[in-house]
Amino acid sequence: MIATYLSGSRLRATLAVAAVAAGFIALDHFLARTELAELKREARQEYRTGLELLAAGRARDAAPHLGRAHSLARDSREYQLAFAEALEGAGRSDMAERNIRQALERDSNDGEANLAMARLSARASKRDDANAFYHRAVYGTWRKDSAMERRAVRLELADFLAKQHLKEELLAEVLRLQPDAESDPIFAGRVASLLLAAGSPSRAISAYREILRFHPEDPSTWRGLAEAELQVGDFRRAQIAFSKVIRFAPNDSIAQHRLEFVATLSEMDPTPRRLSSDEKYRRSQALLAAVRERIAACAGVNPSPTDPNSSTGNAGRALLAARHKDFKNEDAEAILGEAENLWAAKPAGCPAQRDNDPVPVLMAKISNE
Amino acid sequence: MIGNSTLVGPDRSGNIPNNREDQITLALSFVIGAIVGLVVVAFILLTGRLAARMYPAGGAAARRVLVPVAGALVTGFLLVRFFPEARGSGIPQTKFALFLRDGYISLRTVLGKFLCCSASLASGIALGREGPSVQIGAGIASILARAFNLSPANVRNLVPVGCAAALAAAFNTPIAAVLFSLEEIMGDLHATVLGSVVISSATSWMVLHLFLGDEPLFHVPAYHLVNPSEFLVYAALGVVGGFGSVAFVKLLLVVRIWFRKLPRWTLWMQPAVGGLTVGLFGWFMPEVLGVGYDYVERVLGGDLVLRSVFILAVLKIVATAVCYSSGNAGGIFGPSLFIGAMLGGCVGGVAHLWFPSSTADAGAYALVGMGTAFAGIVRTPLTSVIMIFEMTRDYSIIVPLMISNLISFFVSSKLQPQPIYEALAHQEGVVLPSMGDREQLGKLQVRDLMQPISVEADTPVDNVIGNLGNDGPATLPVVSGGKLLGVVTRFDLSACTPGQFVRDAIPSDVPIVTVYGDQALSLALEKMGANGVDALPVVSRSDGREWLGTITLSQALRGFGLEHQ
């Protein structure tokens, strides 16, 4: 039936239609390929221009270029995230978030998109969101060099946690980073400083010492070690470490000041084992007086040591009693105990933070012991 | 059943043979969808890439003036010299072909439309590509139907099939394409060609996706209603959109009348006026050039400042009106969306400025504004809603879209009762069938029973008066050279003096009541009754004075199986 129908003019018409269709298929294929190539080229050009402007800190100028790159190549996650970064830099966080969310809708496990969202949330002070997105970024999918990317993200997360003073979570992340520190001294230094920020100075000390085994003249490592020793209360070692810093970096004025501070601490510290009883007692008294002075300054009064209702009443009686007794080590301990109690009972925020104030450092050491 | 054909009765063996032409029509629906899809894809790619080369972003400002003018001059010459049928947007021309010429669109028209519109749009003329695509699609369907020797009825039936295929590919909106073909082209949502229209639309859409992927026309953020009070703002947008639509339509029609009064020898140069207008605007604001979908997407994303959006809305209204009226090849669909997006962006921008916590971003209003202007200008509210949804794939804003569309449609209908395509047809001297007429198309029509009864104007009265009312009607059309001069009755003739001619008997103060051949017989009877006559002249829709025949009362009644006594 078809053969009968398709004869003569109809056959010619059918062949003509087939030829036209074939011609247009070829034409459309060529045009589509050309269009795609041109669009990709244009998008890449706009992307490069946008990145240069972004790197130069001109986010507002970069945004239109990156936006155009994104609109020309919608399937490029890279362009979209760069556009989001430019939008955020240009103060359009809503639109930035929208773009990142679109990327996440396409692939919720995408490491880069989660990282972008984490950074956005961190800057917007959305702590819980940032934390969640950082973790998703760490365990998400990364296209190239995923181990390095994950490490970098975990490091960034650790920095974030350090700023938020989330010490426990920070320590958990830093411990996961430690195995990677063995082969990279700079990375190891970062890890060690993060251990310190996480409130684990003993681990930090071990880490710093490990670095110094291979890089004994690195002043930054010695500095880190010095601070760690200071945190654990070993002022002598801290002093040695700061001296090393000055030796390898003579122009480091901060280290100089810290060395002087540590020297002051060493002179005031009543806890060293080989200290004589007299010296221990003297130092304890001085420390107690310093504690009283700090607390009184917070209260705005200068309470009499005989005032039975004052917070210093018991310490004052102990002091008086000590004048009438022979000096003993135990008395020094008692004075230190009183100082500790006073310090523990002080109002919150008292005393006000002061750089290089030896009293808080000493009291922290005494409390830890 | 596809088309208007009926099934043949069973043969002796009890088998029912299918109607061959219906099968061919069905098969052609797929072929038309595929071919039209391929052609429209080529059209889209060519216009886009050429435009990027003709006036690249960041290029010299002078180029933005010279290129549209040069392009308009070239296309103006081509249109006048070689492709006169390719002028205009394509929608009215498609309807002319469908209702006046049994669906005939020539290959030359299709080629001319393709070439001239490609050149026009690539030059930056502020018109759209969708209207021309519709005419190209309709033309391809007409050519294929005639090539396969289909009946005139099926040739007509395949024209909207081609239109749907074209729009599905041009806008990437297969559902809206079907609705538009039925709502606007055919004027009948229950048309028997629904199946073919759906097939071609789907096929064309698949072809588009094969080559250009699955991206929607516009990428928009997921907007949603922020506060119920936003409905008031969307209602206000409907009013603004309605007024904006009316302003655009009236400006276009007025400017077009002015251009039509110019001497005929200026016809090929007239498009250059449109080119110059858009070029001068484009000097300062390049966004006005071309279709401008990039900027529509930016305003949908809330990425253009309020001042720019307002200026663009005004400039585009003027530029498109002048470009179209001056005779450039191109459509108004795309510019309608642009104008609507900008108007919506203005309203939304102001609302968001005053009530930031109770309103969505300006982009949401731009999205609704697109549909609002489309509904107000093209007057297809249902198509408009579905089209915006398909373009953006954002369903969350659909209720505000419906409300705003309806208000815009209402405002526009009140201030500009005649829809734009009908008004444009009237300017051409063509009366297209109304919605009521189209609904009657399947029923008994005047042309089926009209007869060649008339009297020549130069016939002596004495020769006629004796024969009037004996066997024929008492009312006679008076013609001269095939042109209807008037209608005379026995009373009119008897009032004449001997020696006078029939033309002298035509009453000058009585309006001539006529009917068209494709109108229903029942309408002819109604008119006869209303005017107290027993015959009506039948005239052409494209020339109201061209006499085609006469329908008498007796013939009309016979059509209904009655005898006139």
Side-chain angles (χ1 to χ4, degrees):
Chain A
M1 190 176 80
I2 294 173
T4 310
Y5 185 77
L6 284 180
S7 60
S9 64
R10 290 196 189 109
L11 178 63
R12 282 195 294 275
T14 306
L15 291 173
V17 166
V20 166
F24 268 101
I25 287 170
L27 176 65
D28 286 350
H29 188 65
F30 167 74
L31 288 173
R33 228 177 42 207
T34 308
E35 164 103 348
L36 195 63
E38 286 191 13
L39 287 178
K40 276 188 174 165
R41 195 166 44 241
E42 209 177 319
R44 209 170 318 131
Q45 181 73 25
E46 295 281 359
Y47 177 66
R48 284 199 194 118
T49 306
L51 280 189
E52 282 169 12
L53 289 165
L54 206 56
R58 293 165 61 187
R60 207 173 285 273
D61 295 329
H65 291 280
L66 291 168
R68 179 131 177 87
H70 169 53
S71 71
L72 289 172
R74 293 249 162 217
D75 55 345
S76 171
R77 181 187 44 87
E78 202 180 345
Y79 296 173
Q80 185 165 33
L81 294 178
F83 181 40
E85 191 184 337
L87 285 170
E88 210 220 327
R92 292 153 75 184
S93 303
D94 285 351
M95 278 191 71
E97 186 176 338
R98 202 184 292 159
N99 274 277
I100 300 172
R101 284 201 186 278
Q102 282 173 0
L104 284 171
E105 273 166 25
R106 276 201 293 271
D107 181 4
S108 58
N109 285 330
D110 182 72
E112 223 176 303
N114 278 294
L115 179 62
M117 189 58 108
R119 287 171 177 165
L120 191 73
S121 303
R123 284 191 275 270
S125 304
K126 293 178 188 173
R127 196 173 84 167
D128 293 339
D129 287 350
N131 205 356
F133 281 113
Y134 268 122
H135 280 100
R136 286 167 70 173
V138 168
Y139 296 107
T141 49
W142 292 85
R143 278 165 181 69
K144 47 182 182 181
D145 228 354
S146 57
M148 289 295 292
E149 299 282 0
R150 283 180 217 284
R151 192 181 92 168
V153 174
R154 202 184 283 282
L155 199 57
E156 195 176 315
L157 169 59
D159 285 336
F160 168 73
L161 292 169
K163 282 182 192 144
Q164 301 297 319
H165 306 293
L166 296 169
K167 293 190 176 181
E168 279 182 26
E169 292 183 41
L170 172 59
L171 184 61
E173 295 302 325
V174 176
L175 288 175
R176 288 194 188 98
L177 284 167
Q178 260 195 310
D180 294 330
E182 288 166 12
S183 53
D184 184 345
I186 297 173
F187 185 69
R190 289 280 309 274
V191 168
S193 67
L194 286 167
L195 283 168
L196 202 58
S200 182
S202 49
R203 285 196 177 94
I205 289 168
S206 303
Y208 281 123
R209 289 197 189 284
E210 186 60 31
I211 298 169
L212 286 168
R213 280 179 60 207
F214 301 97
H215 304 277
E217 294 182 8
D218 179 29
S220 62
T221 308
W222 280 112
R223 190 182 304 110
L225 178 62
E227 294 292 346
E229 297 286 12
L230 193 57
Q231 268 198 29
V232 299
D234 194 333
F235 303 136
R236 188 181 65 84
R237 287 182 197 265
Q239 223 168 343
I240 295 168
F242 275 121
S243 303
K244 293 278 189 181
V245 175
I246 290 164
R247 184 181 152 197
F248 297 124
N251 296 326
D252 192 340
S253 56
I254 295 173
Q256 184 65 48
H257 287 125
R258 293 297 278 172
L259 182 60
E260 287 164 9
F261 176 64
V262 171
T264 305
L265 284 170
S266 292
E267 285 166 13
M268 287 178 67
D269 185 10
T271 62
R273 290 217 170 95
R274 292 191 186 141
L275 211 59
S276 66
S277 300
D278 288 347
E279 183 58 20
K280 184 172 180 175
Y281 184 74
R282 186 191 69 75
R283 289 185 183 190
S284 303
Q285 273 188 311
L287 184 57
L288 179 60
V291 167
R292 283 178 60 217
E293 185 199 327
R294 298 289 190 279
I295 292 170
C298 288
V301 297
N302 197 9
S304 157
T306 59
D307 181 1
N309 295 323
S310 75
S311 58
T312 58
N314 290 335
R317 280 196 288 278
L319 203 59
L320 279 173
R323 281 186 187 151
H324 301 291
K325 286 189 177 176
D326 293 337
F327 295 139
K328 288 182 182 175
N329 205 36
E330 292 78 11
D331 294 327
E333 291 294 332
I335 290 171
L336 285 177
E338 283 304 318
E340 210 175 334
N341 291 337
L342 279 174
W343 192 253
K346 72 183 183 336
C350 173
Q353 288 276 347
R354 236 168 53 193
D355 283 343
N356 292 344
D357 184 359
V359 173
V361 179
L362 287 168
M363 292 313 300
K365 180 181 176 184
I366 291 168
S367 302
N368 287 339
E369 287 178 0
Chain B
M1 180 61 65
I2 309 298
N4 290 331
S5 310
T6 54
L7 280 175
V8 179
D11 60 16
R12 283 184 206 162
S13 63
N15 295 327
I16 300 175
N18 288 327
N19 185 295
R20 184 180 288 166
E21 194 158 292
D22 283 343
Q23 292 173 336
I24 301 301
T25 305
L26 181 62
L28 272 182
S29 303
F30 286 100
V31 175
I32 288 167
I35 300 287
V36 171
L38 289 168
V39 172
V40 170
V41 165
F43 188 48
I44 291 169
L45 291 172
L46 270 172
T47 51
R49 283 297 95 205
L50 280 174
R53 280 175 169 75
M54 299 285 256
Y55 54 96
R63 198 164 168 171
R64 295 198 289 271
V65 180
L66 293 172
V67 168
V69 172
L73 282 171
V74 168
T75 55
F77 174 75
L78 288 173
L79 286 168
V80 169
R81 181 71 178 83
F82 299 107
F83 310 112
E85 299 280 316
R87 292 169 74 87
S89 79
I91 306 289
Q93 290 74 25
T94 301
K95 291 164 83 166
F96 295 167
L98 181 61
F99 294 110
L100 307 181
R101 293 184 222 125
D102 281 340
Y104 178 82
I105 300 174
S106 67
L107 178 61
R108 176 192 274 247
T109 302
V110 172
L111 288 173
K113 199 73 175 183
F114 188 96
L115 285 169
C116 294
C117 287
S118 297
S120 183
L121 299 179
S123 309
I125 295 297
L127 294 172
R129 63 186 181 215
E130 290 78 18
S133 298
V134 168
Q135 190 177 15
I136 291 169
I140 290 171
S142 175
I143 292 165
L144 284 174
R146 296 196 314 272
F148 282 88
N149 297 328
L150 295 185
S151 64
N154 276 327
V155 172
R156 273 200 314 273
N157 284 339
L158 284 175
V159 165
V161 171
C163 295
L167 212 53
F171 267 145
N172 191 8
T173 55
I175 304 172
V178 170
L179 282 172
F180 182 81
S181 277
L182 300 177
E183 192 176 18
E184 178 61 31
I185 301 294
M186 294 213 67
D188 179 8
L189 288 171
H190 301 102
T192 53
V193 295
L194 176 61
S196 290
V197 167
V198 169
I199 286 170
S200 73
S201 175
T203 310
S204 175
W205 182 78
M206 283 191 291
V207 167
L208 173 79
H209 278 232
L210 271 173
F211 288 97
L212 298 182
D214 192 29
E215 293 296 324
L217 188 58
F218 300 116
H219 295 83
V220 294
Y223 290 120
H224 58 276
L225 208 60
V226 172
N227 188 294
S229 61
E230 276 196 287
F231 281 116
L232 294 172
V233 185
Y234 285 115
L237 173 56
V239 174
V240 170
F243 278 105
S245 307
V246 169
F248 170 69
V249 172
K250 285 199 183 293
L251 179 65
L252 190 149
L253 292 172
V254 161
V255 174
R256 194 157 181 267
I257 290 171
W258 184 82
F259 272 104
R260 287 171 66 83
K261 287 179 182 164
L262 293 175
R264 196 160 173 79
W265 64 267
T266 63
L267 210 56
W268 70 276
M269 291 190 298
Q270 289 176 13
V273 176
L276 186 62
T277 305
V278 80
L280 288 173
F281 288 167
W283 179 292
F284 301 102
M285 295 204 82
E287 296 89 335
V288 178
L289 294 168
V291 183
Y293 282 159
D294 284 350
Y295 302 105
V296 171
E297 186 155 305
R298 283 181 63 183
V299 81
L300 290 176
D303 201 23
L304 286 181
V305 295
L306 184 56
R307 197 177 76 106
S308 299
V309 169
F310 177 73
I311 292 171
L312 281 173
V314 172
L315 290 184
K316 195 72 171 187
I317 285 174
V318 175
T320 301
V322 175
C323 283
Y324 188 91
S325 306
S326 58
N328 281 283
I332 59 171
F333 277 15
S336 300
L337 297 177
F338 186 102
I339 291 164
M342 297 303 156
L343 287 175
C346 287
V347 171
V350 169
H352 198 59
L353 205 62
W354 288 349
F355 311 108
S357 56
S358 310
T359 56
D361 281 347
Y365 296 89
L367 176 59
V368 172
M370 281 204 302
T372 301
F374 195 88
I377 291 170
V378 182
R379 301 276 180 86
T380 51
L382 188 61
T383 302
S384 168
V385 170
I386 301 299
M387 182 183 296
I388 300 304
F389 165 62
E390 284 189 292
M391 273 179 189
T392 58
R393 299 184 194 169
D394 184 358
Y395 191 75
S396 57
I397 216 78
I398 205 154
V399 171
L401 181 61
M402 287 161 64
I403 291 169
S404 197
N405 271 15
L406 196 64
I407 293 173
S408 174
F409 179 81
F410 177 75
V411 168
S412 175
S413 303
K414 285 291 175 197
L415 297 177
Q416 171 65 36
Q418 202 172 35
I420 186 169
Y421 292 128
E422 210 172 290
L424 288 170
H426 270 190
Q427 286 187 352
E428 299 280 345
V430 174
V431 178
L432 289 170
S434 64
M435 182 76 80
D437 286 342
R438 287 179 236 164
E439 284 170 3
Q440 302 293 321
L441 274 176
K443 302 183 181 179
L444 211 55
Q445 294 176 353
V446 166
R447 67 170 138 214
D448 298 328
L449 291 166
M450 67 183 183
Q451 292 176 303
I453 299 171
S454 67
V455 60
E456 281 293 323
D458 295 325
T459 306
V461 169
D462 298 333
N463 292 2
V464 178
I465 197 166
N467 295 327
L468 211 59
N470 289 342
D471 294 322
T475 307
L476 277 180
V478 180
V479 300
S480 175
K483 294 293 183 190
L484 179 70
L485 300 183
V487 173
V488 293
T489 64
R490 183 204 297 277
F491 178 79
D492 297 324
L493 292 169
S494 57
C496 289
T497 56
Q500 279 189 308
F501 297 97
V502 172
R503 67 166 67 243
D504 302 321
I506 300 172
S508 56
D509 56 346
V510 176
I512 305 171
V513 180
T514 60
V515 284
Y516 300 112
D518 59 3
Q519 285 182 314
L521 211 54
S522 53
L523 180 68
L525 281 174
E526 278 177 39
K527 283 192 172 185
M528 286 183 211
N531 292 280
V533 295
D534 64 351
L536 290 172
V538 182
V539 296
S540 165
R541 284 190 179 275
S542 58
D543 181 355
R545 288 285 176 169
E546 185 186 340
W547 177 77
L548 301 175
T550 302
I551 182 72
T552 64
L553 178 61
S554 58
Q555 281 299 110
L557 289 173
R558 208 164 286 144
F560 288 110
L562 300 168
E563 283 295 328
H564 179 217
Q565 296 175 356

